[in-house]
Amino acid sequence: MDILDKDILEYALDHALTKRVEYAEARAHSVHQEQIILRNGALEAYVQSVDSGFNVRILVEGGLGFASTNRWTTEEADAVVETAYRLARASGRREKIQFSEMESNEADWRVEEKEKVLDVDPESKIGLLSGIDKEVMAQGVEVPSRILQCFIDLTEKYFINSEGSRITSYVPKVACFVIISVKEEGKVEQAMRQFGYSGGWEAFDLWNVADELVHETMVLQRVINEGKPLKPGKMSLVCGTEVVGIATHESCGHPMEADRILGREMSQAGRSFIYPGGPYWLGTRIGSDLVTIVDDPRVEHSYGFYEYDDEGVEARPRYLYKEGVINEFFHNRETAAKLGVESNGSARAVNYDREAIVRMANTYLQPGDMSEEELLEDVKHGVYMKSFTEWNIDDRRFNQRYVGREAYLIEDGEIGPPVSKPTIEMTTKGFWSAVDGITENLRFDAATCGKGDPMQGLPVYTGGPIIRLREVHMK
Amino acid sequence: MTDLLEKTGALVKKAKSLGADEVIAKTTFGRRMQIRFSNNEIDISKVWNNYLTDVALTWNKRVVATEIRNFERAEERVEDLFKLAKVSQPNPMYGGIAGGTFAYGKSKADGKILTLEEPNAYVERAIEAARAEVPTGLNAGGTLYANYEDVYLVSSEGPTGQDARSSIELSIRAFSQKEASGHGVECSSSLKDFDPSRAGRKAGEMARLAKDPVAGEEGTYDVIFDPLITGSILGTYAMMASAFYVMIQMSVFGNKLGEKVASEIVTLRDSPAGYSVANRLFDDEGVPASETVIIDRGVLKTYLHNTSTAKIFKAETSGNAGLVVPEAWNVELDPGSFSREELFGDVRRGLYLTNTWYTRFQNYAVGDFSTIPRDGAFIIENGEIKGSIKDIRISDNALRMLGNITAISRERQHIHWWESQYPTLSPYILIKDVRITRPK
């Protein structure tokens, strides 16, 4: 790891407190990163870097200023504090920004690595990816393009603020991102998969990447050879865990971010169909009473794991949609103060040079009590969309679309032949209101959530059980 | 600042002394300022000072790279990097980096951006211009960025250069109602001609026209694309023009060199020109960055290359090297012969779309995708805007749309904002038979 000089950080905060500030904080990150890129079995590049720096955020006269640097000197700390202070004072806001009340926290937390990432030599890391590639190629299927990337991110942080919080943390993350293209009789189908874990190199033992990619390869080949377009119409839709996960993230997680609700992201990621004085607010029904969607940063070894957020607030589960009703927004201290509640620990920043903003962690639909067989046996005519390819949602988070990657026809409760690119395009309320069955399993997928300006791609889990939607329009 | 050039060169020498075959080091001293605003007020102002040296080296076709931010330990990091190369694996497709010496032009970076006075005033001017269009109920948000970088590059193969790059950008989204908005951007490499009012006025005008939208209808339409949404679309083609993305089948342009891929009125070029926020004198190998025609009157002429991909494709580098893969700098669609009014006059019944976001592909090699228009979206009848619509999606194919461009305006605008990763010079374009879907 590179420098993380707590004394410099304390020096910066002390300097800030010599001024007439309402609030000040300093946050340092020290990051070791590796990126290994394998293209068609050969190492394209191995990138290794260390980065460390700190920022100071100051609230003065209801205005916020932020400055960061990667130079660890007292002179630079002075300059950063003076800059943040000057920027805050210059904001000239009519409506003064306030932060919600909180107890100060002192903590030192870390995620353990069973197999320490830095103990695994580069040859072994490359070898592991090469082995996965070889297994994919051993299936006798033409896979003309295979990109396997491994990302390693070991982050040490130190957070202090003017209220007495002092939090040290260490989180190692390992991720694998794969793109494969399968070719058959001149036609190409593609799949992207992401795996993510907070912990050590043991992640690869848990993921079974090779098995997962072999499965994807065979699925894509079958879609090319046997997949038929769907005859459009109303029918049942069974969504696999990957589809449920993306739906929870896009049409529950994002619209429940209080900064969007209050308009702070209006010119970038947009607003929300939920807003003060609008038709949807806390207590409004948005889905069937089977639908409870939770975001919990403390899912053990999850990709979005944390114990304290980047404002020093202790993490806890957030019950977003509860039994089909809008229940709780994601908050940082600024949005919480504005809506008269306490922060629920949702402030996250990707690095020291970014402000902490309202973010998800691990968002999932709570499991029900059905088996997969029970869910399917009651479907007379429908589609089982196990995974998705193209997807998107409007910037109010109400008009969404998911296109199936692995999908099958269901007739009289039996899974039939593959369907090529079945598509659902419907509203958030329509989607969650149509849910009439949920299985008892729970599976997570890793994703990188994009938000913020400058963009902050943050690790998250999306997840859920398998669900059944009735009488939805498919095409 | 020649001190930084010397320090950068010293790292190259260090790597060579260890036994590296080829080494490039690039030091960037960046100073960046941002103001974020929403609900007509400034939310936060930020300043970043960033000191960074990128080092890429090869040894026996093994390619490794690092970012050094702590200069006190820079030599130690180079030693670590060389050790990594020795235990790494060769890339059989690696084709080397550019050699020789080059004469570069002189940077036209605007030093006034470095010491921007009263930055809040730019934000206020944009908001006030929007308010002139939406006198009551305006809610505006956006960002102002000012960026100045000193860049020092040294390559073991000869190129050595120094550059300064500047940019200033304002992006504003204005709401007249909760579901009625418009977006405007203003981008430049210098303060000269930078007019934030222009962006505010556009955002406000679109927000005013977009009032009381009704749900759009599914179907096939002739669509006029505003320069803002054209910028997003061109950005997709810019990414796909990179030889690396072609190699990994993430491009519709694979195996199509010399073929007609677009309407014959389409000429697309990459140009790191002086006006652009991506202005630069050289690429990350030290090759002079210059104009490259990607599509000439509808025919695909070349991909964007670094030295290594050029060797694979038996071509010359186009001066588009990033540290690992080639990338576009600033994509320009050549102007057409239509005025904006003539373009609208050509549409008997169609749509005018001003912005989009969340573009996702089913399959990058085939080009099937969808994207969601946002901000002003309008029905056009006999060349006139006849009503505001919402809740629609473009669900089409990237190659099909490129082939269906039937008219291009003379007027163009430089576009770069949060959603458009690649800077562009974008006109209004008319595309026939665009497939529009909506939720059911």
Side-chain angles (χ1 to χ4, degrees):
Chain A
M1 305 295 287
D2 209 23
I3 297 170
L4 196 161
D5 189 332
K6 290 185 174 181
D7 291 340
I8 296 269
L9 209 66
E10 297 282 357
Y11 174 88
L13 184 63
D14 286 346
H15 182 162
L17 294 181
T18 63
K19 300 174 176 299
R20 198 172 286 179
V21 301
E22 285 138 42
Y23 171 83
E25 69 185 21
R27 173 165 47 86
H29 292 223
S30 177
V31 190
H32 169 102
Q33 288 182 319
E34 294 181 31
Q35 183 184 4
I36 307 162
I37 309 167
L38 221 71
R39 185 170 74 83
N40 292 350
L43 184 69
E44 187 78 15
Y46 199 131
V47 182
Q48 194 178 74
S49 58
V50 290
D51 185 11
S52 72
F54 64 96
N55 71 68
V56 170
R57 187 172 66 146
I58 290 176
L59 182 65
V60 182
E61 298 165 15
L64 272 175
F66 175 101
S68 73
T69 184
N70 60 349
R71 277 191 176 168
W72 288 91
T73 64
T74 52
E75 293 77 18
E76 193 77 358
D78 288 338
V80 161
V81 169
E82 293 295 335
T83 302
Y85 181 72
R86 174 174 52 80
L87 294 173
R89 287 198 68 194
S91 75
R93 282 182 65 92
R94 291 176 294 278
E95 184 185 355
K96 305 300 181 192
I97 291 171
Q98 294 181 321
F99 282 2
S100 62
E101 296 291 321
M102 65 166 277
E103 296 288 320
S104 63
N105 287 310
E106 291 196 32
D108 186 347
W109 62 277
R110 57 191 295 120
V111 173
E112 295 303 325
E113 301 162 84
K114 281 185 193 153
E115 188 175 3
K116 286 194 180 299
V117 174
L118 292 179
D119 288 348
V120 181
D121 57 54
E123 301 103 303
S124 301
K125 289 170 182 161
I126 298 164
L128 189 144
L129 293 181
S130 295
I132 293 169
D133 188 79
K134 285 191 181 107
E135 284 203 46
V136 172
M137 291 307 289
Q139 305 309 308
V141 178
E142 189 181 358
V143 192
S145 177
R146 305 164 323 270
I147 298 286
L148 274 80
Q149 295 182 78
C150 174
F151 296 92
I152 291 162
D153 183 308
L154 314 175
T155 299
E156 185 183 354
K157 288 189 203 176
Y158 185 50
F159 172 88
I160 55 179
N161 71 12
S162 53
E163 297 161 347
S165 285
R166 296 282 183 281
I167 297 174
T168 303
S169 65
Y170 171 73
V171 181
K173 287 190 194 294
V174 181
C176 183
F177 184 74
V178 183
I179 310 171
I180 56 169
S181 298
V182 170
K183 194 171 183 184
E184 190 84 4
E185 295 176 4
K187 294 179 182 168
V188 174
E189 288 290 344
Q190 296 177 327
M192 296 185 194
R193 290 294 303 273
Q194 187 171 359
F195 306 84
Y197 180 77
S198 293
W201 195 247
E202 69 275 9
F204 276 92
D205 296 331
L206 303 169
W207 291 333
N208 295 319
V209 178
D211 290 350
E212 294 276 342
L213 295 187
V214 167
H215 173 78
E216 290 292 347
T217 302
M218 307 314 285
V219 164
L220 294 181
Q221 184 192 39
R222 198 168 169 214
V223 167
I224 293 173
N225 290 336
E226 301 173 40
K228 298 275 189 302
L230 185 68
K231 189 178 170 191
K234 284 208 163 182
M235 62 191 76
S236 294
L237 170 65
V238 174
C239 296
T241 59
E242 184 184 297
V243 181
V244 172
I246 191 71
T248 62
H249 181 91
E250 300 289 13
S251 67
C252 174
H254 277 303
M256 298 289 277
E257 294 163 342
D259 55 347
R260 298 178 71 113
I261 289 166
L262 295 169
R264 196 179 193 263
E265 292 288 319
M266 64 166 63
S267 67
Q268 295 92 9
R271 297 169 80 162
S272 171
F273 65 89
I274 301 163
Y275 54 86
Y280 298 94
W281 194 248
L282 296 169
T284 309
R285 178 158 292 281
I286 191 71
S288 78
D289 56 14
L290 295 176
V291 174
T292 293
I293 298 175
V294 187
D295 185 282
D296 186 358
R298 299 183 80 150
V299 174
E300 210 171 331
H301 290 292
S302 60
Y303 201 33
F305 182 88
Y306 60 89
E307 291 192 12
Y308 290 84
D309 77 356
D310 287 321
E311 289 183 331
V313 179
E314 191 168 7
R316 66 165 174 82
R318 285 70 63 106
Y319 285 76
L320 307 170
Y321 296 166
K322 193 170 183 183
E323 296 172 0
V325 173
I326 295 171
N327 183 68
E328 180 184 7
F329 304 144
F330 290 101
H331 282 292
N332 62 7
R333 295 184 65 186
E334 181 182 347
T335 63
K338 197 156 184 177
L339 292 179
V341 295
E342 290 184 357
S343 168
N344 50 20
S346 305
R348 298 179 71 189
V350 73
N351 207 346
Y352 62 87
D353 56 355
R354 299 287 184 267
E355 64 169 326
I357 57 173
V358 177
R359 303 303 295 262
M360 283 175 258
N362 305 301
T363 315
Y364 63 94
L365 179 73
Q366 273 200 342
D369 56 6
M370 297 174 81
S371 68
E372 186 175 356
E373 292 70 31
E374 286 170 331
L375 200 77
L376 291 168
E377 70 186 8
D378 204 18
V379 176
K380 188 156 181 58
H381 172 62
V383 168
Y384 190 174
M385 191 189 289
K386 287 197 154 189
S387 59
F388 66 94
T389 163
E390 172 202 323
W391 88 103
N392 51 30
I393 188 163
D394 69 344
D395 68 326
R396 296 169 58 239
R397 302 282 165 177
F398 205 63
N399 164 8
Q400 65 218 278
R401 168 176 160 121
Y402 308 108
V403 178
R405 183 171 83 243
E406 180 181 6
Y408 303 93
L409 207 59
I410 311 170
E411 296 288 357
D412 297 320
E414 298 291 325
I415 294 177
V419 186
S420 175
K421 309 286 175 4
T423 302
I424 186 159
E425 196 168 344
M426 66 189 303
T427 66
T428 292
K429 185 168 187 182
F431 186 94
W432 294 113
S433 298
V435 175
D436 85 331
I438 300 180
T439 62
E440 60 201 354
N441 62 323
L442 174 61
R443 181 188 156 125
F444 292 104
D445 282 289
T448 302
C449 174
K451 187 181 171 186
D453 187 357
M455 179 57 79
Q456 300 195 52
L458 271 177
V460 296
Y461 263 174
T462 68
I466 303 165
I467 63 173
R468 184 178 62 209
L469 283 69
R470 291 293 197 192
E471 288 294 292
V472 294
H473 184 83
M474 298 288 299
K475 54 190 174 184
Chain B
M1 283 298 179
T2 50
D3 178 42
L4 279 176
L5 192 64
E6 282 170 16
K7 282 184 176 170
T8 306
L11 295 180
V12 173
K13 279 185 190 153
K14 173 72 183 178
K16 285 294 284 183
S17 74
L18 292 167
D21 294 331
E22 298 158 316
V23 193
I24 301 175
K26 184 183 77 169
T27 296
T28 307
F29 174 30
R31 284 135 293 176
R32 201 168 193 211
M33 186 277 298
Q34 182 202 43
I35 297 175
R36 284 191 59 156
F37 59 103
S38 68
N39 300 313
N40 307 328
E41 294 218 77
I42 290 171
D43 290 317
I44 191 166
S45 303
K46 306 174 196 168
V47 165
W48 299 273
N49 290 337
N50 194 26
Y51 313 84
L52 166 69
T53 300
D54 294 291
V55 181
L57 67 83
T58 65
W59 178 77
N60 285 349
K61 287 205 159 198
R62 289 145 172 90
V63 183
V64 292
T66 191
E67 293 179 350
I68 298 171
R69 293 169 192 270
N70 179 355
F71 289 86
E72 287 166 18
R73 295 173 61 184
E75 292 213 347
E76 191 183 324
R77 295 296 307 152
V78 170
E79 286 166 10
D80 290 345
L81 188 66
F82 187 67
K83 282 180 201 159
L84 182 64
K86 292 204 109 173
V87 297
S88 187
Q89 284 183 358
N91 176 359
M93 303 295 275
Y94 176 69
I97 57 175
T101 53
F102 301 99
Y104 307 118
K106 193 171 182 327
S107 166
K108 295 188 174 109
D110 185 353
K112 289 178 185 159
I113 288 176
L114 194 57
T115 54
L116 200 62
E117 290 177 11
E118 301 287 334
N120 292 8
Y122 291 92
V123 171
E124 285 156 16
R125 278 167 60 191
I127 293 174
E128 287 316 305
R131 201 186 303 282
E133 295 286 338
V134 184
T136 56
L138 173 77
N139 191 349
T143 51
L144 172 75
Y145 273 112
N147 189 46
Y148 194 97
E149 287 179 349
D150 291 299
V151 179
Y152 308 87
L153 184 137
V154 178
S155 165
S156 63
E157 304 311 292
T160 298
Q162 187 169 331
D163 196 3
R165 299 164 185 171
S166 62
S167 63
I168 182 160
E169 305 176 31
L170 186 132
S171 165
I172 177 170
R173 191 180 194 196
F175 285 80
S176 59
Q177 298 169 333
K178 287 289 181 197
E179 294 189 59
S181 58
H183 201 123
V185 300
E186 180 78 7
C187 316
S188 180
S189 60
S190 74
L191 283 175
K192 186 170 172 277
D193 300 328
F194 178 74
D195 181 6
S197 305
R198 197 153 41 198
R201 200 158 43 243
K202 177 73 179 282
E205 181 192 8
M206 291 300 117
R208 174 171 55 77
L209 293 171
K211 278 186 174 177
D212 303 321
V214 298
E217 296 294 326
E218 200 159 291
T220 302
Y221 295 84
D222 292 348
V223 177
I224 292 174
F225 290 83
D226 189 89
L228 189 63
I229 181 170
T230 300
S232 295
I233 293 168
L234 294 183
T236 298
Y237 299 124
M239 180 201 84
M240 290 181 169
S242 163
F244 182 78
Y245 287 93
V246 171
M247 284 160 57
I248 66 170
Q249 306 235 345
M250 297 291 282
S251 169
V252 293
F253 296 135
N255 298 317
K256 288 191 170 57
L257 283 177
E259 291 183 18
K260 188 169 182 298
V261 295
S263 152
E264 62 190 19
I265 62 171
V266 171
T267 293
L268 191 70
R269 57 188 86 219
D270 181 59
S271 171
Y275 71 84
S276 170
V277 296
N279 64 92
R280 66 197 55 232
L281 298 176
F282 45 78
D283 73 2
D284 285 352
E285 289 179 7
V287 175
S290 59
E291 183 178 288
T292 302
V293 175
I294 302 165
I295 297 172
D296 185 13
R297 286 164 290 174
V299 176
L300 183 66
K301 303 302 282 188
T302 185
Y303 303 130
L304 300 176
H305 287 296
N306 59 19
T307 299
S308 190
T309 63
K311 191 169 180 185
I312 293 166
F313 284 89
K314 297 184 172 56
E316 297 290 321
T317 176
S318 57
N320 287 92
L323 264 188
V324 179
V325 302
E327 56 188 329
W329 304 126
N330 177 63
V331 171
E332 300 177 341
L333 181 58
D334 274 12
S337 55
F338 289 75
S339 69
R340 181 185 182 279
E341 291 68 31
E342 287 167 341
L343 205 78
F344 274 74
D346 249 24
V347 178
R348 187 176 297 275
R349 179 170 168 78
L351 302 179
Y352 168 41
L353 303 179
T354 64
N355 197 9
T356 197
W357 92 313
Y358 225 134
T359 302
R360 289 292 184 277
F361 281 74
Q362 289 175 20
N363 183 326
Y364 285 84
V366 175
D368 292 336
F369 78 105
S370 72
T371 186
I372 308 196
R374 65 189 235 182
D375 303 311
F378 307 99
I379 297 273
I380 304 175
E381 286 179 5
N382 299 318
E384 303 283 332
I385 289 177
K386 287 295 178 187
S388 169
I389 58 170
K390 63 177 181 175
D391 298 338
I392 58 166
R393 178 179 272 106
I394 297 171
S395 305
D396 212 304
N397 177 279
L399 268 183
R400 183 178 173 277
M401 284 176 65
L402 204 49
N404 280 353
I405 297 176
T406 57
I408 300 173
S409 72
R410 291 191 290 272
E411 177 185 344
R412 293 187 295 173
Q413 192 190 347
H414 187 31
I415 301 289
H416 185 238
W417 72 288
W418 184 80
E419 176 66 14
S420 291
Q421 181 191 346
Y422 293 94
T424 62
L425 186 59
S426 298
Y428 290 87
I429 56 175
L430 173 60
I431 306 183
K432 69 178 181 186
D433 298 336
V434 177
R435 294 169 184 151
I436 301 291
T437 59
R438 53 152 299 150
K440 286 183 179 171

